Amino acid sequence: MTDGGLLVFPAPDPDLARLLDLGGWAWSAVDDDLTARNAEGTPAGALVTLGADEADDQAGDDPAWQVLEALARREPPLLATMVLLRGTHLDQLAGRSHLFADFCLTPFHPREMEARITHLLAAGQRAGGAEVEPPGDDQTVRYGPLLLNTETYQARIAHRALDLTYMEYELLRYLAQNPDRVHTREVLLSQVWGYEYYGGARTVDVHIRRLRSKLGEEHARMIQTVRSVGYRFGRADD
């Protein structure tokens, strides 16, 4: 394994392998949790696919979770990990968000996957202590205590850094740039994801839930639910 590359479980299908190769990312496939934990070098991130083996999936014993746990037990822990899964598997993510930094539904759109990997690795570098220049005025979105840097994908709430995935950031940015309006799930899918997304409207709910958790109890109400319609972004004390 070359330092700075990606670990991939299981061996990628042709579409993913082609995307990684064309994107210039070094990668190495791992077979199980043991090889994931003991892979040589210092990988920059990992891509782990849930439900890759239908037999294991149907038996409720997906080895992908063991691989994710092994990555978290590496020294140092590998935190820049993305989970790839079908929309029917979203329920499996509940209670396990500490094991991955981002997730992407399959089949994926190449441009989205490229952007997610780029953001995943950049976020991993920042978590490792890399310094990032403070944002200039032409690169920021501000709303109350929220500050977004549109060039570095940094986000802060009341001077506290937010560790957001690529799509969490994009969703929060769209909401912050269009406050005090009610957005249906379908509109958010169109404007943020940019095409007919395989996960459907339920994907929006998952990302909203994760955003609220990361904003923290004090600021979670900046994203308000409008029953039977969608979501509205506004001040927590509105």
Side-chain angles (χ1 to χ4, degrees), residues 183-192 195 200-201 204 229-230:
H183 306 280
T184 67
R185 292 167 177 82
E186 290 72 20
V187 165
L188 292 175
L189 279 171
S190 173
Q191 295 299 316
V192 178
Y195 52 90
V204 176
V229 181

Side-chain angles (χ1 to χ4, degrees), residues 52-235:
D53 188 311
E54 292 186 6
D56 289 333
D57 187 28
Q58 292 174 0
D61 187 24
D62 194 331
W65 290 114
Q66 283 72 50
V67 170
L68 287 165
E69 290 171 357
L71 294 173
R73 292 196 299 267
R74 286 178 62 93
E75 187 57 46
L78 184 55
L79 303 178
T81 302
M82 185 190 304
V83 170
L84 281 63
L85 74 165
R86 296 187 295 274
T88 54
H89 288 61
L90 277 172
D91 288 344
Q92 295 186 25
L93 302 184
R96 289 164 159 165
S97 59
H98 62 289
L99 292 175
F100 58 93
D102 196 4
F103 69 91
C104 183
L105 298 186
T106 57
F108 57 80
H109 189 287
R111 283 180 297 177
E112 180 194 3
M113 179 61 75
E114 290 170 1
R116 283 174 178 267
I117 293 175
T118 299
H119 179 68
L120 181 78
L121 298 182
Q125 291 176 351
R126 291 196 296 272
E131 294 294 329
V132 179
E133 292 296 321
D137 289 341
D138 60 338
Q139 302 167 0
T140 62
V141 176
R142 299 174 185 267
Y143 189 93
L146 178 68
L147 174 64
L148 303 175
N149 183 318
T150 60
E151 182 174 29
T152 66
Y153 288 88
Q154 285 182 301
R156 305 185 71 85
I157 187 77
H159 305 293
R160 172 173 61 86
L162 297 174
D163 183 14
L164 303 178
T165 68
Y166 174 73
M167 290 312 301
E168 288 168 358
Y169 180 91
E170 289 296 302
L171 176 57
L172 184 59
R173 177 170 69 169
Y174 179 78
L175 291 171
Q177 289 177 325
N178 298 276
D180 304 316
R181 295 168 51 188
V182 178
H183 306 280
T184 67
R185 292 167 177 82
E186 290 72 20
V187 165
L188 292 175
L189 279 171
S190 173
Q191 295 299 316
V192 178
W193 278 261
Y195 52 90
E196 186 177 352
Y197 194 59
Y198 290 97
R202 191 160 161 241
T203 298
V204 176
D205 297 334
V206 172
H207 282 77
I208 290 290
R209 185 165 62 247
R210 288 166 63 100
L211 271 180
R212 284 172 170 162
S213 176
K214 293 182 178 182
L215 288 171
E217 184 177 354
E218 181 180 358
H219 305 289
R221 288 187 59 249
M222 292 182 76
I223 305 177
Q224 303 151 20
T225 299
V226 180
R227 185 168 299 185
S228 302
V229 181
Y231 297 99
R232 172 181 176 269
F233 186 86
R235 298 184 186 278

Side-chain angles (χ1 to χ4, degrees), residues 32-53:
D32 51 33
D33 55 326
L34 183 62
T35 54
R37 185 169 184 177
N38 297 323
E40 296 181 356
T42 306
L47 306 178
V48 178
T49 300
L50 294 182
D53 188 311

